Amino acid sequence: SNDGTVHAKAAIADRNKAFLTSANLTGHALNKNIEAGPLDWGVIPNQVFSHMIALIDTEDLNLVSGDAIRGK
């Protein structure tokens, strides 16, 4: 099947550091898999943050609570 999609992950800290990757952000994925992604300081992290907020505001991106992720 050719139904695969790329689903990017982003971790943003204090709007001034960003890690963008296709890797799953789990211990196994980060320690066992061979994947890469840029770690950026500067204007890009704030732009990514602002873009995510815009996606949330338009309901194109939904927030998921930590409890929902953990199945609680």
Side-chain angles (χ1 to χ4, degrees):
S1 171
N2 290 329
D3 295 337
T5 60
V6 173
H7 50 285
K9 286 79 170 186
I12 302 166
D14 302 326
R15 294 191 190 184
N16 64 11
K17 296 179 196 86
F19 177 56
L20 309 172
T21 183
S22 64
N24 290 322
L25 300 177
T26 63
H28 183 80
L30 295 173
N31 293 319
K32 301 288 183 182
N33 295 348
I34 299 172
E35 302 216 33
L39 181 61
D40 190 87
W41 291 264
V43 298
I44 290 175
N46 193 51
Q47 290 172 337
V48 172
F49 179 84
S50 296
H51 184 67
M52 288 181 145
I53 295 300
L55 291 172
I56 291 167
D57 288 345
T58 60
E59 298 182 358
D60 289 314
L61 180 68
N62 296 315
L63 291 176
V64 177
S65 73
D67 287 343
I69 293 169
R70 290 185 290 276
K72 294 181 180 178

